[in-house]
Structures are given as structure tokens and as C-alpha cells.
Amino acid sequence: MVSWLCSKCGYTLEAETPPEECPSCKSDCSFVDNSCYTPDCAGKPNDPQIKGGE
């Protein structure tokens, strides 16, 4: 499962593909893959270096 981060409000969700509309802010947003693939995350599912929201 992939962790997705809304580029507008910072909402995160886990799904195979991101939704077309954010469930939180109800906008048509871009979603960023926020899954952590580096050892720097220390076992956390989301990468803390990727920030959402404007």
C-alpha cells in the first residue's frame, strides 16, 4: 500500500492509487507519494521530509 499526501492540505491516506478529490479539503489536488523508502525514516511509514499543504 502506498501512502499519499495531499499537496494542498497535507491530508494523508493509504491506497493503491490516489483519489481524484481529496477526502479532507474536497479539492482536486495533486497527491504526492509520501511512502518512506530510505533508512532515515527509522521504520515510520511516511517520510517526514515530505511536507504537504501550502
Side-chain angles (χ1 to χ4, degrees):
M1 197 74 61
V2 179
S3 176
W4 298 99
L5 176 74
C6 175
S7 60
K8 284 194 176 183
C9 71
Y11 177 77
T12 59
L13 71 141
E14 289 191 10
E16 290 298 322
T17 58
E20 291 186 26
E21 179 183 279
C22 177
S24 179
C25 66
K26 306 296 185 211
S27 297
D28 292 333
C29 322
S30 298
F31 277 84
V32 178
D33 181 347
N34 188 34
S35 302
C36 187
Y37 299 103
T38 64
D40 296 345
C41 293
K44 297 177 188 164
N46 301 329
D47 192 334
Q49 297 177 46
I50 299 174
K51 304 277 190 251
E54 293 180 46

